[in-house]
Amino acid sequence: MIKKQTLEILSHIQIAEDTFEVVLRSSLSKELKPGQFVHIALPGHMLRRPVSIANVNPEAETFTMIFKILGEGTRNLSKYKHGQYLDVILPCGTHYPIEELTISHALLVGGGIGVPPLYYLGKKLKEKGVNVTSVLGFQSATHVFYEEKFQQLGDTFIATNDGTYGQKGFVTEIIAELDMPIDYYFSCGPTPMLQAVTNQLSNQKGYISLEERMGCGVGTCYACVVPLKADPEQNKKICKDGPVFLANEVSLA
Amino acid sequence: MIKKQTLEILSHIQIAEDTFEVVLRSSLSKELKPGQFVHIALPGHMLRRPVSIANVNPEAETFTMIFKILGEGTRNLSKYKHGQYLDVILPCGTHYPIEELTISHALLVGGGIGVPPLYYLGKKLKEKGVNVTSVLGFQSATHVFYEEKFQQLGDTFIATNDGTYGQKGFVTEIIAELDMPIDYYFSCGPTPMLQAVTNQLSNQKGYISLEERMGCGVGTCYACVVPLKADPEQNKKICKDGPVFLANEVSLA
Amino acid sequence: MSLTVNLPGLSLKNPVMPASGCFGFGKEYSQFFDLDELGAIIVKAATGAARYGNPTPRVAETSSGMLNAIGLQNPGVDKIITDELPFLRQFDTPIIANVAGSTVEEYVKVASKLNQSNDIAAIELNISCPNVKEGGVQFGTDSDLAKEVTYKVKEVSNYPVYVKLSPNVTNITTMAKAVVDAGADGLSMINTLTGMQINLKKRAPIIANKTGGLSGPAIKPIAIRMIYEVRQALSDVPIIGMGGIMTAEDVVEFLLAGANAVAIGTANFQNPYVCPEIIADLPGTLSKYGFESVKAATGKGHVHG
Amino acid sequence: MSLTVNLPGLSLKNPVMPASGCFGFGKEYSQFFDLDELGAIIVKAATGAARYGNPTPRVAETSSGMLNAIGLQNPGVDKIITDELPFLRQFDTPIIANVAGSTVEEYVKVASKLNQSNDIAAIELNISCPNVKEGGVQFGTDSDLAKEVTYKVKEVSNYPVYVKLSPNVTNITTMAKAVVDAGADGLSMINTLTGMQINLKKRAPIIANKTGGLSGPAIKPIAIRMIYEVRQALSDVPIIGMGGIMTAEDVVEFLLAGANAVAIGTANFQNPYVCPEIIADLPGTLSKYGFESVKAATGKGHVHG
Ligand SMILES: Cc1cc2nc3c(=O)[nH]c(=O)nc-3n(C[C@H](O)[C@H](O)[C@H](O)COP(=O)(O)OP(=O)(O)OC[C@H]3O[C@@H](n4cnc5c(N)ncnc54)[C@H](O)[C@@H]3O)c2cc1C
Ligand SMILES: Cc1cc2nc3c(=O)[nH]c(=O)nc-3n(C[C@H](O)[C@H](O)[C@H](O)COP(=O)(O)OP(=O)(O)OC[C@H]3O[C@@H](n4cnc5c(N)ncnc54)[C@H](O)[C@@H]3O)c2cc1C
Ligand SMILES: Cc1cc2nc3c(=O)[nH]c(=O)nc-3n(C[C@H](O)[C@H](O)[C@H](O)COP(=O)(O)O)c2cc1C
Ligand SMILES: Cc1cc2nc3c(=O)[nH]c(=O)nc-3n(C[C@H](O)[C@H](O)[C@H](O)COP(=O)(O)O)c2cc1C
Ligand code: FES
Ligand code: FES
């Protein structure tokens, strides 16, 4: 059940350059699924900001999100402190349908602020007994976060654009070198990365998670559509039919 | 010298219903004169808010202002706490020219948020050896403030609209009962009160202080004009030529 | 305290309705609250055939507002009648269908089809959608075209027709008079103002369509001015007012300017509960300002001379 | 990093100037900073005789904006020439005189008198002031009148004439073309949008004049759109852009839309140092977005197709 709640910030810490991890308490936490997002109102801003769910602690009724400062809204969000409250609509959108899939080995491919939702996904996959390999791309060393946490889920490879950490270059170069069978891949990140990854892995089954500027975030305004590959005259709403799509379902052109 | 400064709030306390007293530290404090105002920027508001100077402590380099919640801007201002900062233009406008006047007995007539500037004026008059009588009007008992402080300056009479404190009715009724010679009166308050007082005391010399919606607050935009009594086709700027005017100089119609 | 309003075709329990395009066909927001609470619902625009809309990005945020260029995406009037409107039958709330098109013929076709539906109470004739290349806004900025399309739609419609005016005109009163002359039962105003925002990094307009419609509190002073002017010129025409409403105080301001009822658009995106919250606040707000009913406030902000 | 801009009559050290009506004749803000820092100064409107303006209240605050109806208060062109402009001689900053009037004759009279002054560098022809009852805005919304007044003022003026356009029109490009056809050396855009705010307690418009001009960040998307449209239609006309500028990033957005220089109005009221602060930020902001000069950014936000 989707709701608007006023949520207490239990922790708000910087974990990398311009990157913050926020823990919020919500009675809906246990309903949150990997791939879903929350839609956050900020004072002085007309529109809400969508941010993915990066982790959930169902017992504590809390969830985690991780965001990077991009513009005024996320800068505003970075100034909050624990003990303050946020106005949040949740849960929004579809999730990675891992309950329905038979997987023995999953590849997670994340870029920048596309990394956070994959952590919660990886955790859920590991709980199911799936082998998880993660390939994560960041701008540079100072932007890397959650490496150890991903390592606890399985093999983890890092690429940075400038080579200041891990392998220099793109996630696709690391994927090209991986030598293992995977059943499914799950990818989230900037559109150019998703294009490269879906092209590279076009023979694999996979799910991707998309971003688009949103109005309502709940499916009424048609702001956030993505054309279908099969018929580019048709489209789906990222906020309601997504953000998770089958890799070959939508057109990233 | 007029400046824009970022001033620390040293104290911010509620002193009556919807009424707050704020002490700010400014290097310009010692230049502030009774009747002048400061012009305060508030986040989320396009225009600044003018507030009178209610007291000055030149040694401590601080000054005091007192304001009442009227709309969104003053509500916003009421939520500040000590230790926070305000963006203030100061000093603005003219002052009561008491250096130039020979006075033995002064009458102060204030109404509501017109009371604060009269306190600093009264203090300065008393320093000069002037006898001060104050007549202050408030909505009701819960709105009364600074009575004791005025009493330290001289005889002080309070009227409330609803009679819950002091004399029921208007300041003019108290003034009518006063039986003493005065040289000058000084009045600040809502326009209807100023009209009544200037009519009642039309044979006395006096100064009044006016309010008007302002744009710039420094004299460039012509938002805050008041017509002259002598020639209503001519006007003066309240923010720069005022807020203090000779009682018979401007038209309050 | 009476909140009821009676307008042609519309017996409203209160004057508050979501604006077209900002509430879809009601399904999503029905997860948040009971749509019975609403005065009415203005649903998303219907065109003759399905429309897939403009490329993305379709929205951008501005100071106290937003730009949108959705491009009239909708499944087409037939599917709206068969697949969308029936869901709304369960609510005791009148439905206003928003009609759009690129040609007079398309407007007439959509209106005739809706005329067969029993699920609506009135038509809002959207002659002012600025986000479609072929036609759309010309109808809203040329008084002869506006007159013509209003007249032709009235001919095929038994439902009352509220014509939705564009604010992108030199003289709003001329437009209002033109459509009222042509038989409009009421006016709906205002639609969005055409605006643009440029992405400094990409050196291009943010909205793929380049321009978009500006809505939200930024435009409220323009909406209030236009409603006031039209109310001065046409003392009796029913007006559904909109443009930047966020609070019950805003609603009262629209009533004082001359609106009989109001619609709420952009605010729904910020707060899905905004309509029921405003409806709950309205009686207290009206009495705070000395009004005993919604009707008593309408037009009371006018001063003469 | 070069901030210089050369426009007819104006050799600007940087593209930033205070907008007419928001900086008086410079005296007050010269207490805050050295006016030498400014690219130019557009002074308050001059009319033939002194004007006392509208009754108060003359301003109101809106979401991300303000309304004003000053009513062209000014001491008249003669006194402006003798009493106000000489103060500005001490600064190495070109002065643009803003010319207003109720009749073509008044415009021509004011412009002829200013033509005798050596203290100005250009004229801004204000055909768009919405706050005076008798005339003023009609010139800005009727392309024939706009053409006529531009032509007649050009006839008596040796100084370049920048015509200041009103945004309260259906088609801004038509107006721009009309005045350029009539000889305008440049355009200044946009003036304020006509708006209104109603005082709920008093049940009347807050502004005594009822309507006022809306300025500030609320209108920026409309300004950007109009400048973009005019730049598309007239690739060479000099444009001084304005409407809601608060930051150096806003300035770059105006440049990308097609402005050659910019003016800053309402923001001065919030921050008297806004012009010098923006000028100081501009080189860093331009290079952040990959531009080596102001000129390099002008018009670069246009995408074709
Ligand atoms: C489903 C979804 C999940 C997301 N998850 C995360 C996450 O976990 N962590 C994270 O850091 N970021 C995430 N993002 C991106 C995040 O929403 C944007 O970075 C943020 O909205 C930018 O806001 P701003 O005010 O800082 O930027 P501005 O550019 O000032 O924002 C202006 C407007 O554009 C919108 N906008 C700008 N960039 C984006 C974008 N990339 N995606 C969507 N809207 C945008 C803003 O929401 C706002 O409406 C997600 C986006 C989507 C759609
Ligand atoms: C010279 C001067 C000195 C003042 N001194 C004091 C003081 O010492 N204490 C105090 O409580 N108040 C004082 N005021 C009044 C104070 O400025 C207003 O109460 C305040 O601006 C209201 O802002 P708001 O946002 O709460 O109200 P809103 O009504 O929401 O404000 C909307 C707009 O109208 C303006 N406005 C509304 N009422 C007034 C008013 N009465 N005067 C001027 N502008 C107004 C606001 O500044 C703002 O621009 C003074 C006003 C002036 C002109
Ligand atoms: C995303 C969005 C989509 C809209 N779609 C339509 C539409 O389909 N038909 C229509 O007549 N108006 C449409 N509008 C305009 C609104 O109905 C309304 O007139 C306008 O937004 C002003 O109100 P507001 O400021 O409360 O949003 C749309 C507005 C927005 C923001
Ligand atoms: C208080 C005020 C007075 C103005 N007076 C004039 C004027 O005399 N002549 C003129 O051409 N424009 C005048 N304007 C319009 C501004 O010059 C400018 O075009 C408009 O405000 C948009 O810019 P902004 O949003 O930066 O304020 C005035 C604006 C304001 C706010
Ligand atoms: S953001 Fe409104 S439909 Fe997706
Ligand atoms: S407020 Fe601008 S002149 Fe007084």
Side-chain angles (χ1 to χ4, degrees), chain B residues 97-205:
Chain B
I98 56 172
E99 330 76 272
E100 300 156 19
L101 306 178
T102 314
I103 324 182
S104 68
H105 201 132
L107 174 65
L108 309 185
V109 187
I113 52 162
V115 170
L118 297 181
Y119 177 68
Y120 183 39
L121 172 68
K123 224 178 80 169
K124 283 290 185 187
L125 286 169
K126 200 179 172 203
E127 279 175 20
K128 266 187 68 152
V130 178
N131 286 316
V132 174
T133 299
S134 306
V135 180
L136 311 176
F138 295 95
Q139 270 173 271
S140 63
T142 50
H143 290 93
V144 177
F145 61 86
Y146 266 38
E147 183 185 11
E148 284 179 25
K149 291 197 165 223
F150 275 93
Q151 270 164 350
Q152 284 160 20
L153 305 177
D155 288 344
T156 300
F157 304 89
I158 309 276
T160 53
N161 297 355
D162 60 2
T164 46
Y165 193 84
Q167 187 166 325
K168 181 177 159 78
F170 299 108
V171 289
T172 42
E173 297 164 30
I174 297 182
I175 297 170
E177 292 163 20
L178 290 180
D179 187 21
M180 67 179 86
I182 60 157
D183 312 296
Y184 281 93
Y185 71 94
F186 300 92
S187 187
C188 184
T191 306
M193 186 199 89
L194 292 179
Q195 283 169 327
V197 171
T198 51
N199 283 338
Q200 185 179 26
L201 301 177
S202 57
N203 297 326
Q204 302 277 357
K205 285 176 284 187

Side-chain angles (χ1 to χ4, degrees), chain A residues 37 45 47-53 66-75 113 116-117 209-214 238 243, chain C residues 60-61:
Chain A
F37 67 97
H45 286 276
L47 298 178
R48 288 174 178 262
R49 299 298 189 267
V51 181
S52 299
I53 292 156
I66 294 170
F67 70 91
K68 195 173 155 190
I69 297 180
L70 192 94
E72 281 314 306
T74 45
R75 185 176 311 282
I113 54 163
S209 173
L210 301 184
E211 284 181 17
E212 185 51 76
R213 285 173 191 256
M214 292 187 174
I238 292 175
Chain C
E61 189 181 63

Side-chain angles (χ1 to χ4, degrees), chain A residues 106-132:
Chain A
L107 174 65
L108 310 185
V109 186
I113 54 163
V115 171
L118 297 181
Y119 177 67
Y120 183 38
L121 172 67
K123 222 178 82 170
K124 282 292 185 187
L125 286 169
K126 199 177 173 203
E127 279 175 19
K128 268 188 65 152
V130 178
N131 285 316
V132 174

Side-chain angles (χ1 to χ4, degrees), chain D residues 62 72 169 191 219 227 237:
Chain D
T62 71
L72 289 182
V169 294
N191 211 316
I219 68 167
I227 292 168
V237 67

Side-chain angles (χ1 to χ4, degrees), chain B residues 3 6 8 20 27 60 62 64 69 90-91 95 108 110 114 119-120 162 164 201 213 220 223 231 252:
Chain B
K3 280 196 178 147
T6 303
E8 189 183 348
F20 296 79
S27 58
T62 65
T64 303
I69 296 179
L90 79 171
H95 59 281
L108 309 185
Y119 177 68
Y120 183 39
D162 60 2
T164 46
L201 301 177
R213 285 173 191 254
T220 62
D231 175 5
L252 300 175

Side-chain angles (χ1 to χ4, degrees), chain A residues 134-218:
Chain A
S134 305
V135 181
L136 310 176
F138 296 94
Q139 270 173 271
S140 63
T142 51
H143 290 94
V144 177
F145 61 86
Y146 266 38
E147 184 185 11
E148 284 179 26
K149 291 199 167 223
F150 274 94
Q151 271 164 350
Q152 283 161 20
L153 306 176
D155 288 342
T156 300
F157 304 90
I158 309 276
T160 53
N161 297 357
D162 60 2
T164 47
Y165 193 85
Q167 186 166 327
K168 181 177 161 77
F170 298 109
V171 288
T172 42
E173 296 164 31
I174 297 183
I175 296 171
E177 292 163 20
L178 289 179
D179 187 22
M180 69 178 84
I182 60 157
D183 310 297
Y184 281 92
Y185 72 93
F186 301 91
S187 186
C188 185
T191 306
M193 185 199 91
L194 293 178
Q195 284 169 326
V197 171
T198 51
N199 283 338
Q200 185 179 28
L201 301 177
S202 56
N203 297 325
Q204 300 277 357
K205 286 176 284 186
Y207 286 87
I208 57 175
S209 173
L210 301 184
E211 284 181 17
E212 185 51 76
R213 285 173 191 256
M214 292 187 174
C216 65
V218 301

Side-chain angles (χ1 to χ4, degrees), chain D:
Chain D
M1 175 64 57
S2 160
L3 298 186
T4 61
V5 176
N6 291 300
L7 300 178
L10 301 169
S11 264
L12 308 177
K13 50 183 161 308
N14 67 63
V16 178
M17 50 190 105
S20 181
C22 302
F23 209 75
F25 297 95
K27 249 178 215 138
E28 291 78 14
Y29 286 113
S30 74
Q31 300 170 278
F32 290 92
F33 65 92
D34 184 348
L35 305 189
D36 265 350
E37 296 184 40
L38 297 169
I41 299 172
I42 313 180
V43 295
K44 176 80 189 151
T47 53
R51 293 233 194 166
Y52 308 108
N54 293 323
T56 57
R58 292 178 171 188
V59 293
E61 189 180 63
T62 71
S63 291
S64 297
M66 68 176 283
L67 293 169
N68 90 79
I70 306 298
L72 289 182
Q73 179 171 354
N74 80 96
V77 64
D78 293 331
K79 280 220 172 131
I80 289 176
I81 292 172
T82 55
D83 299 359
E84 303 288 351
L85 298 182
F87 168 80
L88 292 164
R89 280 180 201 157
Q90 62 187 294
F91 304 105
D92 176 29
T93 301
I95 304 304
I96 303 174
N98 184 277
V99 172
S102 306
T103 58
V104 174
E105 294 66 42
E106 186 177 6
Y107 277 107
V108 169
K109 176 181 157 194
V110 176
S112 325
K113 292 199 168 172
L114 284 165
N115 200 43
Q116 308 302 313
S117 164
N118 291 320
D119 294 327
I120 68 169
I123 281 178
E124 183 179 54
L125 189 62
N126 177 7
I127 58 167
S128 49
C129 182
N131 303 320
V132 246
K133 287 263 156 58
E134 346 75 62
V137 77
Q138 290 91 312
F139 291 101
T141 55
D142 177 320
S143 60
D144 290 336
L145 283 177
K147 225 175 190 153
E148 186 192 345
V149 70
T150 305
Y151 183 83
K152 294 261 170 72
V153 164
K154 272 298 289 179
E155 273 188 335
V156 299
S157 181
N158 298 315
Y159 289 115
V161 173
Y162 292 78
V163 179
K164 185 157 179 180
L165 300 182
S166 167
N168 300 295
V169 294
T170 306
N171 192 324
I172 193 73
T173 310
T174 308
M175 295 302 301
K177 282 185 176 155
V179 302
V180 168
D181 279 354
D185 299 280
L187 301 172
S188 185
M189 54 193 291
I190 59 175
N191 211 316
T192 54
L193 282 128
T194 309
M196 179 186 280
Q197 196 175 42
I198 295 179
N199 187 323
L200 304 190
K201 278 184 211 150
K202 300 203 172 145
R203 302 185 184 182
I206 290 188
I207 303 255
N209 183 54
K210 296 182 196 167
T211 61
L214 183 64
S215 62
I219 68 167
K220 195 184 73 171
I222 298 168
I224 294 289
R225 186 264 295 181
M226 290 189 165
I227 292 168
Y228 190 100
E229 283 179 359
V230 170
R231 177 56 74 217
Q232 291 274 62
L234 298 166
S235 56
D236 295 323
V237 67
I239 297 177
I240 303 172
M242 68 201 73
I245 294 176
M246 301 289 286
T247 66
E249 304 229 334
D250 293 336
V251 172
V252 176
E253 191 180 354
F254 275 79
L255 297 175
L256 293 177
N260 302 87
V262 297
I264 295 170
T266 308
N268 292 288
F269 305 156
Q270 196 177 84
N271 177 8
Y273 300 104
V274 70
C275 291
E277 282 177 10
I278 285 178
I279 293 164
D281 287 348
L282 200 49
T285 307
L286 282 166
S287 52
K288 177 174 168 194
Y289 293 105
F291 296 106
E292 280 166 20
S293 68
V294 164
K295 285 174 204 156
T298 291
K300 288 293 163 25
H302 285 245
V303 287
H304 299 284

